[in-house]
Coordinates of all heavy atoms in Angstrom, one line a residue:
L95 N 6.3 23.2 9.3 CA 6.0 23.4 7.9 C 4.9 24.5 7.8 O 5.0 25.4 6.9 CB 5.5 22.1 7.3 CG 6.5 21.0 7.1 CD1 5.7 19.7 6.8 CD2 7.5 21.3 6.2
E96 N 3.9 24.5 8.7 CA 2.9 25.5 8.6 C 3.4 26.9 9.0 O 3.0 27.9 8.4 CB 1.7 25.2 9.5 CG 1.0 24.0 9.0 CD -0.2 23.6 9.8 OE1 -0.3 24.0 11.0 OE2 -1.1 23.0 9.2
R97 N 4.5 26.9 9.8 CA 5.1 28.3 10.1 C 5.8 28.8 8.9 O 6.0 30.0 8.8 CB 6.1 28.1 11.2 CG 5.6 27.9 12.6 CD 6.6 27.9 13.6 NE 6.1 27.3 14.8 CZ 6.8 26.6 15.7 NH1 8.0 26.3 15.5 NH2 6.2 26.0 16.8
E98 N 6.2 28.0 8.0 CA 6.8 28.4 6.7 C 5.8 28.7 5.7 O 6.1 28.9 4.5 CB 7.8 27.3 6.2 CG 8.9 27.1 7.2 CD 9.8 28.3 7.3 OE1 10.1 29.0 6.3 OE2 10.3 28.6 8.4
G99 N 4.5 28.6 6.0 CA 3.4 28.9 5.1 C 2.9 27.8 4.2 O 2.2 28.0 3.2
L100 N 3.4 26.5 4.5 CA 3.0 25.4 3.8 C 1.7 24.7 4.4 O 1.7 24.5 5.6 CB 4.1 24.3 3.7 CG 5.4 24.9 3.1 CD1 6.5 23.9 3.4 CD2 5.2 25.1 1.7
A101 N 0.7 24.4 3.6 CA -0.5 23.8 4.1 C -0.2 22.3 4.4 O 0.4 21.7 3.4 CB -1.7 24.0 3.1
T102 N -0.6 21.8 5.4 CA -0.3 20.4 5.8 C -1.6 19.8 6.4 O -2.5 20.4 6.9 CB 0.8 20.3 6.8 OG1 0.3 20.9 8.0 CG2 2.1 20.9 6.4
R103 N -1.6 18.4 6.2 CA -2.6 17.6 6.8 C -2.0 16.4 7.5 O -1.1 15.8 6.8 CB -3.7 17.1 5.8 CG -4.5 18.3 5.2 CD -5.4 18.9 6.3 NE -6.3 19.9 5.7 CZ -6.0 21.2 5.5 NH1 -4.8 21.7 5.8 NH2 -6.9 22.0 5.0
V104 N -2.4 16.0 8.6 CA -1.9 14.8 9.3 C -3.1 13.8 9.3 O -4.2 14.1 9.7 CB -1.5 15.0 10.7 CG1 -1.0 13.7 11.4 CG2 -0.4 16.1 10.8
M105 N -2.8 12.6 8.7 CA -3.8 11.6 8.7 C -3.4 10.3 9.3 O -2.2 9.9 9.3 CB -4.2 11.3 7.1 CG -4.6 12.5 6.4 SD -5.1 12.2 4.7 CE -6.8 11.8 5.0
S106 N -4.3 9.6 9.9 CA -4.0 8.3 10.6 C -5.1 7.3 10.4 O -6.3 7.6 10.4 CB -3.8 8.6 12.1 OG -3.7 7.4 12.8
A107 N -4.7 6.1 10.3 CA -5.7 5.0 10.1 C -6.3 4.6 11.5 O -7.3 4.0 11.7 CB -5.1 3.7 9.5
L108 N -5.5 5.0 12.6 CA -5.9 4.8 14.0 C -6.7 5.9 14.4 O -6.5 7.1 14.0 CB -4.7 4.5 14.9 CG -3.8 3.3 14.5 CD1 -2.6 3.3 15.4 CD2 -4.6 2.0 14.5
D109 N -7.7 5.8 15.3 CA -8.5 6.8 15.8 C -7.8 7.7 16.8 O -7.7 7.5 18.0 CB -9.8 6.2 16.4 CG -10.8 7.3 16.8 OD1 -10.7 8.4 16.2 OD2 -11.7 7.0 17.6
V110 N -7.2 8.8 16.3 CA -6.6 9.8 17.1 C -7.0 11.1 16.6 O -6.2 12.0 16.2 CB -5.0 9.7 17.1 CG1 -4.6 8.5 17.9 CG2 -4.5 9.6 15.6
Q111 N -8.3 11.4 16.6 CA -8.9 12.6 15.9 C -8.5 13.9 16.6 O -8.6 15.0 16.1 CB -10.4 12.5 15.8 CG -10.8 11.4 14.8 CD -12.3 11.4 14.5 OE1 -13.0 12.2 15.0 NE2 -12.7 10.3 13.9
A112 N -8.0 13.8 17.9 CA -7.5 15.0 18.5 C -6.2 15.6 17.9 O -6.0 16.8 17.9 CB -7.2 14.7 20.0
V113 N -5.5 14.7 17.2 CA -4.2 15.2 16.5 C -4.2 14.9 15.0 O -3.3 15.5 14.3 CB -3.0 14.6 17.2 CG1 -2.9 15.1 18.6 CG2 -3.0 13.1 17.1
A114 N -5.1 14.1 14.5 CA -5.0 13.7 13.1 C -6.4 13.4 12.6 O -7.3 12.9 13.3 CB -4.1 12.5 12.8
E115 N -6.6 13.7 11.3 CA -7.9 13.3 10.7 C -7.8 11.8 10.2 O -6.7 11.3 10.0 CB -8.3 14.2 9.5 CG -7.4 14.2 8.3 CD -7.8 15.2 7.3 OE1 -7.3 16.3 7.3 OE2 -8.5 14.8 6.4
P116 N -8.9 11.2 10.1 CA -8.9 9.8 9.7 C -8.4 9.6 8.3 O -8.6 10.4 7.4 CB -10.4 9.4 9.8 CG -11.2 10.5 10.4 CD -10.3 11.7 10.4
Y117 N -7.6 8.5 8.1 CA -7.1 8.3 6.8 C -8.2 7.7 5.9 O -8.8 6.7 6.2 CB -5.9 7.3 6.8 CG -5.5 6.8 5.4 CD1 -4.8 7.6 4.6 CD2 -5.8 5.6 5.0 CE1 -4.5 7.3 3.3 CE2 -5.5 5.2 3.7 CZ -4.8 6.0 2.9 OH -4.6 5.6 1.6
I118 N -8.4 8.4 4.8 CA -9.4 8.0 3.8 C -8.6 8.3 2.5 O -8.2 9.5 2.2 CB -10.7 8.8 3.8 CG1 -11.4 8.5 5.2 CG2 -11.6 8.4 2.7 CD1 -12.5 9.5 5.4
R119 N -8.4 7.3 1.7 CA -7.6 7.4 0.5 C -8.0 8.6 -0.4 O -7.2 9.3 -0.8 CB -7.6 6.0 -0.2 CG -6.8 6.0 -1.5 CD -6.9 4.7 -2.3 NE -6.3 4.8 -3.5 CZ -6.8 5.2 -4.7 NH1 -8.0 5.7 -4.7 NH2 -6.0 5.3 -5.8
R120 N -9.2 8.7 -0.7 CA -9.7 9.7 -1.5 C -9.5 11.1 -1.0 O -9.1 12.1 -1.7 CB -11.3 9.6 -1.9 CG -11.5 8.5 -2.8 CD -13.1 8.5 -3.0 NE -13.4 7.8 -4.3 CZ -14.6 7.5 -4.6 NH1 -15.6 7.9 -3.9 NH2 -14.8 6.9 -5.7
R121 N -9.6 11.2 0.3 CA -9.4 12.5 1.0 C -7.8 12.8 0.9 O -7.5 14.0 0.7 CB -9.8 12.5 2.5 CG -9.7 13.9 3.1 CD -10.2 13.9 4.5 NE -11.7 13.7 4.5 CZ -12.4 13.4 5.6 NH1 -11.7 13.4 6.8 NH2 -13.7 13.3 5.6
A122 N -7.0 11.9 1.1 CA -5.5 12.1 1.0 C -5.2 12.6 -0.4 O -4.4 13.5 -0.5 CB -4.8 10.8 1.3
I123 N -5.7 11.9 -1.4 CA -5.5 12.3 -2.8 C -6.0 13.8 -3.0 O -5.3 14.6 -3.6 CB -6.1 11.3 -3.8 CG1 -5.3 10.0 -3.7 CG2 -6.1 11.9 -5.2 CD1 -5.9 8.9 -4.4
H124 N -7.2 14.1 -2.5 CA -7.7 15.4 -2.6 C -6.8 16.5 -2.0 O -6.6 17.5 -2.6 CB -9.2 15.5 -2.0 CG -9.7 16.9 -2.0 ND1 -10.2 17.5 -3.1 CD2 -9.8 17.8 -1.0 CE1 -10.6 18.7 -2.8 NE2 -10.4 18.9 -1.5
H125 N -6.3 16.2 -0.8 CA -5.4 17.1 -0.2 C -4.1 17.4 -1.0 O -3.7 18.5 -1.2 CB -4.9 16.6 1.2 CG -6.0 16.7 2.3 ND1 -6.8 17.7 2.4 CD2 -6.3 15.8 3.2 CE1 -7.6 17.5 3.4 NE2 -7.3 16.3 4.0
L126 N -3.6 16.3 -1.6 CA -2.4 16.4 -2.5 C -2.8 17.3 -3.8 O -2.0 18.1 -4.2 CB -1.9 15.1 -2.9 CG -1.3 14.3 -1.8 CD1 -1.0 12.8 -2.2 CD2 -0.1 15.0 -1.2
E127 N -4.0 17.0 -4.3 CA -4.4 17.8 -5.5 C -4.6 19.3 -5.1 O -4.4 20.1 -6.0 CB -5.8 17.3 -6.0 CG -5.6 15.9 -6.7 CD -7.0 15.3 -7.0 OE1 -8.0 15.7 -6.5 OE2 -6.9 14.3 -7.8
E128 N -4.9 19.6 -3.9 CA -5.0 20.9 -3.4 C -3.6 21.5 -3.0 O -3.6 22.6 -2.4 CB -6.0 21.0 -2.2 CG -7.4 20.7 -2.6 CD -8.1 21.7 -3.6 OE1 -7.8 22.9 -3.4 OE2 -8.7 21.3 -4.5
R129 N -2.6 20.8 -3.3 CA -1.2 21.2 -3.1 C -0.9 21.3 -1.6 O -0.1 22.1 -1.1 CB -0.9 22.6 -3.7 CG -1.3 22.7 -5.2 CD -0.4 22.0 -6.1 NE 0.9 22.6 -6.0 CZ 2.0 21.9 -6.5 NH1 1.9 20.7 -7.0 NH2 3.2 22.5 -6.4
R130 N -1.5 20.4 -0.8 CA -1.1 20.3 0.6 C -0.2 19.2 0.9 O -0.1 18.2 0.1 CB -2.5 20.0 1.5 CG -3.5 21.1 1.4 CD -4.7 20.7 2.1 NE -5.8 21.7 1.9 CZ -7.0 21.4 1.4 NH1 -7.4 20.2 1.1 NH2 -7.9 22.4 1.2
I131 N 0.6 19.3 1.9 CA 1.6 18.2 2.3 C 0.8 17.3 3.2 O 0.1 17.7 4.2 CB 2.8 18.8 3.1 CG1 3.6 19.7 2.1 CG2 3.6 17.7 3.7 CD1 4.6 20.5 2.8
V132 N 0.8 16.0 2.9 CA 0.1 15.0 3.7 C 1.1 14.2 4.5 O 1.9 13.6 4.0 CB -0.8 14.1 2.9 CG1 -1.5 13.1 3.7 CG2 -1.8 15.0 2.1
L133 N 0.9 14.1 5.9 CA 1.7 13.4 6.7 C 0.9 12.2 7.3 O -0.1 12.4 7.8 CB 2.3 14.2 7.9 CG 3.0 15.5 7.5 CD1 3.3 16.3 8.7 CD2 4.3 15.1 6.8
F134 N 1.4 11.0 7.0 CA 0.7 9.8 7.5 C 1.3 9.4 8.8 O 2.5 9.2 9.0 CB 0.8 8.7 6.5 CG 0.2 9.0 5.2 CD1 1.0 9.1 4.1 CD2 -1.1 9.1 5.0 CE1 0.5 9.5 2.9 CE2 -1.7 9.5 3.8 CZ -0.9 9.6 2.7
A135 N 0.5 9.2 9.9 CA 1.0 8.9 11.2 C 0.4 7.7 11.8 O -0.7 7.2 11.3 CB 0.6 10.1 12.1
A136 N 1.0 7.1 12.8 CA 0.5 6.1 13.7 C 0.4 4.7 13.1 O -0.3 3.9 13.6 CB -0.9 6.5 14.3
G137 N 1.0 4.4 12.0 CA 1.0 3.1 11.5 C -0.3 2.7 10.8 O -1.2 3.5 10.5
I138 N -0.5 1.3 10.8 CA -1.8 0.8 10.2 C -2.5 -0.1 11.2 O -3.5 -0.7 10.9 CB -1.4 0.0 8.9 CG1 -0.5 -1.1 9.1 CG2 -1.0 0.9 7.8 CD1 -0.2 -2.0 7.9
G139 N -2.1 -0.2 12.4 CA -2.7 -1.0 13.4 C -2.4 -2.5 13.4 O -3.1 -3.2 14.1
N140 N -1.5 -2.9 12.6 CA -1.1 -4.3 12.5 C 0.2 -4.5 13.4 O 1.2 -3.8 13.2 CB -0.8 -4.7 11.1 CG -0.5 -6.1 10.9 OD1 0.1 -6.8 11.8 ND2 -1.0 -6.7 9.8
P141 N 0.1 -5.4 14.4 CA 1.3 -5.5 15.3 C 2.6 -5.9 14.6 O 3.7 -5.7 15.3 CB 0.8 -6.5 16.3 CG -0.2 -7.3 15.6 CD -0.9 -6.3 14.7
Y142 N 2.6 -6.5 13.5 CA 3.8 -7.0 12.8 C 4.3 -6.0 11.7 O 5.2 -6.4 11.0 CB 3.7 -8.4 12.4 CG 3.4 -9.4 13.5 CD1 2.1 -9.9 13.6 CD2 4.4 -9.7 14.4 CE1 1.9 -10.8 14.6 CE2 4.1 -10.5 15.4 CZ 2.9 -11.1 15.5 OH 2.6 -11.9 16.5
M143 N 3.7 -4.9 11.6 CA 4.1 -3.9 10.6 C 4.7 -2.7 11.3 O 4.1 -2.2 12.2 CB 2.9 -3.5 9.7 CG 2.3 -4.7 9.0 SD 3.5 -5.3 7.8 CE 2.8 -6.9 7.4
T144 N 5.8 -2.2 10.8 CA 6.4 -1.0 11.4 C 5.7 0.3 10.7 O 4.9 0.2 9.7 CB 7.9 -0.9 11.0 OG1 8.0 -0.8 9.5 CG2 8.6 -2.1 11.4
T145 N 6.0 1.4 11.3 CA 5.4 2.6 10.8 C 6.0 2.9 9.4 O 5.4 3.6 8.6 CB 5.6 3.8 11.8 OG1 7.0 3.9 12.1 CG2 4.8 3.7 13.0
D146 N 7.3 2.5 9.2 CA 7.9 2.6 7.9 C 7.1 1.9 6.8 O 6.9 2.3 5.7 CB 9.3 2.1 7.9 CG 10.2 2.9 8.9 OD1 9.8 4.0 9.3 OD2 11.3 2.4 9.3
T147 N 6.7 0.7 7.2 CA 5.8 -0.1 6.3 C 4.6 0.6 6.0 O 4.1 0.6 4.8 CB 5.6 -1.5 6.9 OG1 6.8 -2.2 7.1 CG2 4.7 -2.4 5.9
A148 N 3.9 1.2 7.0 CA 2.7 1.9 6.8 C 2.9 3.1 5.8 O 2.1 3.4 5.0 CB 2.2 2.4 8.1
A149 N 4.1 3.8 6.0 CA 4.3 5.0 5.1 C 4.5 4.5 3.7 O 3.9 5.2 2.8 CB 5.6 5.7 5.6
A150 N 5.1 3.4 3.5 CA 5.3 2.9 2.1 C 4.0 2.4 1.5 O 3.7 2.7 0.4 CB 6.4 1.7 2.1
L151 N 3.2 1.8 2.3 CA 1.8 1.3 1.9 C 1.0 2.5 1.5 O 0.3 2.5 0.5 CB 1.2 0.5 3.0 CG -0.2 0.0 2.8 CD1 -0.3 -0.9 1.6 CD2 -0.8 -0.6 4.0
R152 N 1.0 3.5 2.3 CA 0.1 4.7 2.1 C 0.6 5.4 0.7 O -0.2 5.8 -0.1 CB 0.2 5.7 3.2 CG -0.4 5.2 4.5 CD -1.9 4.9 4.3 NE -2.4 4.4 5.6 CZ -3.0 3.2 5.7 NH1 -3.3 2.5 4.6 NH2 -3.4 2.8 6.9
G153 N 1.9 5.4 0.5 CA 2.4 6.0 -0.7 C 2.0 5.2 -1.9 O 1.6 5.8 -2.9
L154 N 2.0 3.9 -1.8 CA 1.5 3.1 -2.9 C 0.0 3.3 -3.1 O -0.5 3.3 -4.3 CB 1.8 1.6 -2.6 CG 3.3 1.3 -2.7 CD1 3.5 -0.2 -2.2 CD2 3.8 1.4 -4.1
E155 N -0.8 3.4 -2.1 CA -2.2 3.5 -2.1 C -2.6 4.8 -2.8 O -3.7 4.9 -3.5 CB -2.9 3.5 -0.7 CG -2.9 2.1 -0.2 CD -3.4 2.1 1.3 OE1 -3.6 3.2 1.9 OE2 -3.7 1.0 1.7
I156 N -1.9 5.9 -2.6 CA -2.3 7.1 -3.3 C -1.5 7.3 -4.6 O -1.6 8.5 -5.1 CB -2.0 8.3 -2.3 CG1 -0.6 8.5 -1.9 CG2 -2.9 8.2 -1.1 CD1 -0.3 9.8 -1.2
D157 N -0.7 6.4 -5.0 CA 0.0 6.4 -6.3 C 1.0 7.6 -6.3 O 1.0 8.4 -7.2 CB -0.9 6.6 -7.5 CG -1.9 5.4 -7.7 OD1 -1.3 4.3 -7.4 OD2 -3.0 5.6 -8.1
A158 N 1.7 7.7 -5.2 CA 2.7 8.8 -5.0 C 3.8 8.7 -6.1 O 4.5 7.7 -6.2 CB 3.3 8.8 -3.7
A159 N 3.8 9.7 -7.0 CA 4.8 9.7 -8.1 C 6.2 10.0 -7.5 O 7.2 9.6 -8.0 CB 4.4 10.6 -9.2
C160 N 6.2 10.9 -6.5 CA 7.5 11.3 -6.0 C 7.3 11.7 -4.6 O 6.1 11.9 -4.1 CB 8.1 12.5 -6.7 SG 7.1 14.0 -6.6
G161 N 8.3 11.7 -3.8 CA 8.1 12.0 -2.4 C 9.3 11.5 -1.6 O 10.3 11.1 -2.2
Q162 N 9.2 11.5 -0.3 CA 10.3 11.1 0.5 C 9.8 10.3 1.6 O 8.9 10.7 2.3 CB 11.0 12.3 1.0 CG 12.3 12.1 1.7 CD 13.1 13.4 1.9 OE1 12.5 14.4 2.0 NE2 14.3 13.2 2.1
L163 N 10.4 9.2 1.9 CA 10.0 8.3 2.9 C 11.1 8.4 4.0 O 12.2 8.1 3.8 CB 9.9 6.8 2.5 CG 9.6 5.7 3.5 CD1 8.3 6.0 4.1 CD2 9.7 4.4 2.9
R164 N 10.7 8.9 5.2 CA 11.6 9.2 6.2 C 11.4 8.2 7.4 O 10.3 8.2 7.9 CB 11.5 10.6 6.7 CG 12.0 11.6 5.7 CD 12.4 12.8 6.4 NE 13.5 13.4 5.5 CZ 14.4 14.2 6.0 NH1 14.5 14.5 7.2 NH2 15.3 14.7 5.1
A165 N 12.3 7.5 7.8 CA 12.3 6.7 9.0 C 12.7 7.5 10.2 O 13.6 8.4 10.1 CB 13.2 5.5 8.8
S166 N 12.1 7.3 11.3 CA 12.4 8.0 12.5 C 13.8 7.6 13.0 O 14.2 6.4 12.7 CB 11.4 7.9 13.6 OG 11.4 6.6 14.1
L167 N 14.6 8.4 13.6 CA 15.9 8.0 14.0 C 15.8 6.8 15.0 O 16.6 5.9 15.0 CB 16.6 9.3 14.7 CG 18.0 9.0 15.1 CD1 18.9 8.6 14.0 CD2 18.6 10.3 15.8
S168 N 14.9 6.9 15.9 CA 14.7 5.8 16.9 C 14.5 4.4 16.2 O 15.0 3.4 16.6 CB 13.6 6.1 17.9 OG 12.4 6.1 17.2
T169 N 13.7 4.4 15.1 CA 13.5 3.2 14.4 C 14.7 2.7 13.7 O 15.1 1.5 13.8 CB 12.4 3.4 13.3 OG1 11.2 3.9 13.9 CG2 12.1 2.1 12.6
V170 N 15.5 3.6 13.1 CA 16.7 3.2 12.5 C 17.7 2.7 13.6 O 18.3 1.7 13.4 CB 17.3 4.4 11.7 CG1 18.7 4.1 11.3 CG2 16.4 4.8 10.6
D171 N 17.8 3.4 14.7 CA 18.7 3.0 15.8 C 18.3 1.6 16.3 O 19.2 0.7 16.5 CB 18.6 3.9 17.0 CG 19.3 5.2 16.6 OD1 20.0 5.3 15.6 OD2 19.1 6.2 17.4
I172 N 17.0 1.3 16.5 CA 16.6 0.0 17.0 C 16.9 -1.0 16.0 O 17.4 -2.2 16.3 CB 15.1 0.0 17.3 CG1 14.8 0.9 18.6 CG2 14.6 -1.4 17.5 CD1 13.4 1.2 18.8
G173 N 16.7 -0.8 14.7 CA 17.0 -1.8 13.7 C 18.5 -2.1 13.5 O 18.8 -3.2 13.1
T174 N 19.3 -1.1 13.7 CA 20.7 -1.3 13.4 C 21.6 -1.7 14.7 O 22.6 -2.2 14.6 CB 21.4 -0.1 12.7 OG1 21.2 1.0 13.6 CG2 20.7 0.1 11.4
A175 N 21.1 -1.3 15.9 CA 21.9 -1.4 17.1 C 21.5 -2.7 17.8 O 22.2 -3.0 18.8 CB 21.7 -0.2 17.9
R176 N 20.5 -3.4 17.5 CA 20.1 -4.6 18.2 C 21.1 -5.7 18.0 O 21.5 -6.0 16.9 CB 18.7 -5.1 17.7 CG 18.1 -6.2 18.5 CD 16.9 -6.7 17.9 NE 15.9 -5.6 17.7 CZ 14.9 -5.7 17.0 NH1 14.6 -6.9 16.3 NH2 14.1 -4.7 16.8
S177 N 21.5 -6.3 19.2 CA 22.5 -7.4 19.1 C 21.9 -8.8 19.0 O 22.5 -9.7 18.5 CB 23.5 -7.3 20.3 OG 22.8 -7.3 21.5
E178 N 20.7 -8.9 19.6 CA 20.1 -10.2 19.6 C 19.2 -10.3 18.3 O 18.9 -9.4 17.7 CB 19.2 -10.4 20.9 CG 17.9 -9.5 20.8 CD 18.2 -8.1 21.5 OE1 19.3 -7.7 21.7 OE2 17.2 -7.4 21.7
A179 N 18.9 -11.6 18.0 CA 18.1 -11.9 16.8 C 16.7 -11.4 17.1 O 16.2 -11.5 18.1 CB 18.2 -13.4 16.5
P180 N 16.1 -10.9 16.0 CA 14.7 -10.5 16.1 C 13.8 -11.7 16.5 O 14.1 -12.8 16.0 CB 14.3 -9.9 14.8 CG 15.3 -10.4 13.8 CD 16.6 -10.8 14.7
P181 N 12.7 -11.5 17.1 CA 11.8 -12.7 17.4 C 11.2 -13.2 16.2 O 10.9 -12.4 15.2 CB 10.7 -12.1 18.3 CG 10.8 -10.7 18.1 CD 12.1 -10.3 17.7
S182 N 10.9 -14.5 16.1 CA 10.3 -15.0 14.9 C 8.8 -14.8 14.9 O 8.2 -14.7 15.9 CB 10.6 -16.5 14.8 OG 10.0 -17.2 15.9
L183 N 8.2 -14.6 13.7 CA 6.8 -14.4 13.6 C 6.1 -15.7 13.8 O 6.5 -16.7 13.3 CB 6.5 -13.7 12.2 CG 7.1 -12.4 12.0 CD1 6.8 -12.0 10.6 CD2 6.6 -11.4 13.0
P184 N 4.8 -15.6 14.3 CA 4.0 -16.8 14.4 C 3.6 -17.4 13.0 O 3.6 -16.6 12.1 CB 2.8 -16.4 15.2 CG 2.8 -14.9 15.1 CD 4.2 -14.5 14.8
E185 N 3.4 -18.7 13.0 CA 3.1 -19.3 11.6 C 1.7 -19.0 11.3 O 0.7 -18.9 12.0 CB 3.2 -20.8 11.8 CG 4.7 -21.1 12.2 CD 5.5 -21.8 11.2 OE1 4.9 -22.2 10.1 OE2 6.6 -22.0 11.4

């Protein structure tokens, strides 16, 4: 995206500052107000939540009016190609 001249920011709730800045809701909204593309990475740190769930949660948190939620191909493949039943969640 940056090669095409688009300003981008990668944000993560997990501590990976070598590749992404920390997720702070107000900062994410500020980046969007500055016309930057914000990419949310690395999930939310909860073992029972997928990165897709994290992306949807972040979109709701910043009141995203429009946008696109993209699942990675491997996540889609795992979800549709699994033949055994998923493990049950603890009570």
